[in-house]
Amino acid sequence: MNDESKLVDLHCHTTASDGQLTPTEIIRRAITNQVDVLAITDHDTVSGLREAHDFNRQQDNSIELINGIEISTCWHNHDIHIVGLNVDIEADELAQLQKRQRELRDIRAREIGRRLEKAGIESAYEGAKALAGDAALSRGHYARWLAHHGYAKDTPSVFKKFLSRGKTGYVPNNWQDMESAITLIHNVGGQAVLAHPSGYKFSAKWLKRLVREFKEAGGDAIEVVQGQQSIGDRSNLIALSNQNQLFASLGSDFHFPGGWLDLGKKLFQPPGVNWIWHSEGWNK
Ligand code: AMP
Ligand code: MN
Ligand code: MN
Ligand code: MN
């Protein structure tokens, strides 16, 4: 893939994790929004990709569809998300990872439910589980259920009040370390991308440290362009990627229609950036 005029979105979610569109609906929306290259990157699973490929095939492969995953990891006690792109969705090692993460998510989800119950909020676990269907529970499902039942005005407020670090419903994470996730992504043929680096709300010093340690752990790229972002953030991330000899990626992190961001929107490609799709290992 060489054409800079292509519309590329390398980060989004479906109902296989905490997104609200099915894999089929995501492909349909990508076509409507004129996305050329799309990676589906559900939390800790690739289970939406088969359906997405089936539907894309019925649409004459309109979309260049990349097999992706967003792995939850732990770095100095913080939840850090690592996107794997071009992973082999049939690989045993990936199947094992999905099984482990699912177990960790189940344990954590029950604990979140218990903590909320102690705080007087009943049936949150059952409610979130009903929203998740077959998918592993994410805090995103809890946030939707709590907002819908009036515990806060919207999902960001639910996070502030209940689900972020130190709050009633927060359970310290137990994810594998960042380096193991990067190694696993490489073992299954993929490239490892540090997701939404500005999203962790780190100080400049910690963000620099994160990017440096990500590179030292073998990481390939960092996301420098997101659907919602200040110009200052963007140029800082581009500088960090160049300083650390990392490739750059971009993605909307789309979860549902009607919000602030949309699939493939506001993802222009600024100059002076080494895009991940120019890397040697891309989609071989
Ligand atoms: P988990 O992977 O279960 O820890 O849940 C993380 C997910 O919760 C993210 O992928 C988002 O979908 C959602 N999320 C995290 N922080 C926020 C926030 N401040 N506001 C809204 N949704 C959030
Ligand atoms: Mn999510
Ligand atoms: Mn994420
Ligand atoms: Mn995401």
Side-chain angles (χ1 to χ4, degrees):
M1 186 172 84
N2 279 312
D3 188 351
E4 297 293 316
S5 63
K6 281 186 176 173
L7 181 51
V8 184
D9 189 339
L10 300 177
H11 189 153
C12 73
H13 297 270
T14 74
T15 47
S17 66
D18 60 358
Q20 293 182 42
L21 298 186
T22 64
T24 295
E25 288 164 341
I26 277 281
I27 296 295
R28 210 177 267 137
R29 195 170 190 90
I31 294 170
T32 305
N33 290 1
Q34 300 185 307
V35 175
D36 298 297
V37 185
L38 179 75
I40 292 181
T41 56
D42 277 304
H43 297 289
D44 299 311
T45 184
V46 294
S47 64
L49 276 152
R50 199 157 302 166
E51 179 188 319
H53 279 292
D54 285 348
F55 185 70
N56 191 34
R57 222 169 281 124
Q58 289 166 30
Q59 309 303 309
D60 302 321
N61 286 315
S62 300
I63 305 289
E64 191 178 322
L65 181 58
I66 306 291
N67 293 331
I69 186 168
E70 181 175 16
I71 303 180
S72 299
T73 75
C74 183
W75 179 76
H76 299 284
N77 281 329
H78 292 274
D79 282 72
I80 299 295
H81 290 176
I82 307 294
V83 164
L85 297 174
N86 299 301
V87 292
D88 172 5
I89 60 176
E90 307 293 343
D92 277 350
E93 215 177 326
L94 199 56
Q96 287 158 23
L97 169 97
Q98 293 177 83
K99 189 162 172 281
R100 280 200 309 274
Q101 298 290 82
R102 171 112 203 180
E103 283 162 8
L104 289 175
R105 281 188 173 278
D106 285 346
I107 293 166
R108 186 185 64 151
R110 282 174 211 279
E111 183 58 28
I112 292 174
R114 264 194 293 274
R115 290 183 188 210
L116 291 173
E117 202 168 316
K118 258 194 178 164
I121 302 173
E122 289 189 11
S123 320
Y125 174 76
E126 290 73 16
K129 197 150 177 57
L131 285 177
D134 291 336
L137 275 177
S138 145
R139 283 182 294 165
H141 299 113
Y142 268 106
R144 264 164 71 198
W145 187 87
L146 287 162
H148 184 75
H149 287 81
Y151 290 100
K153 70 172 179 352
D154 51 22
T155 55
S157 313
V158 172
F159 268 88
K160 270 199 200 124
K161 223 167 143 183
F162 298 105
L163 298 177
S164 41
R165 233 160 103 103
K167 298 298 159 67
T168 324
Y170 181 77
V171 177
N173 76 64
N174 200 12
W175 310 121
Q176 68 185 312
D177 61 45
M178 186 168 79
E179 189 165 1
S180 319
I182 294 170
T183 303
L184 186 142
I185 288 167
H186 289 162
N187 289 348
V188 300
Q191 296 87 42
V193 182
L194 177 62
H196 43 63
S198 316
Y200 307 113
K201 309 269 190 298
F202 286 153
S203 64
K205 187 175 154 202
W206 271 83
L207 182 56
K208 263 191 182 165
R209 182 170 174 193
L210 170 64
V211 175
R212 193 183 64 235
E213 291 190 15
F214 172 76
K215 170 72 183 187
E216 285 164 5
D220 301 293
I222 68 174
E223 288 182 356
V224 303
V225 174
Q226 292 177 250
Q228 280 286 311
Q229 173 182 57
S230 74
I231 295 171
D233 266 352
R234 184 162 59 233
S235 40
N236 182 40
L237 293 173
I238 292 171
L240 280 175
S241 72
N242 288 335
Q243 284 155 15
N244 289 279
Q245 273 107 48
L246 285 159
F247 286 100
S249 184
L250 81 178
S252 60
D253 205 2
F254 175 77
H255 282 73
F256 57 89
W260 293 103
L261 45 84
D262 199 350
L263 204 60
K265 297 291 179 181
K266 300 189 195 156
L267 295 177
F268 65 93
Q269 297 164 25
V273 173
N274 292 320
W275 298 106
I276 180 85
W277 50 88
H278 296 312
S279 71
E280 223 171 273
W282 184 260
N283 213 5
K284 31 183 194 315

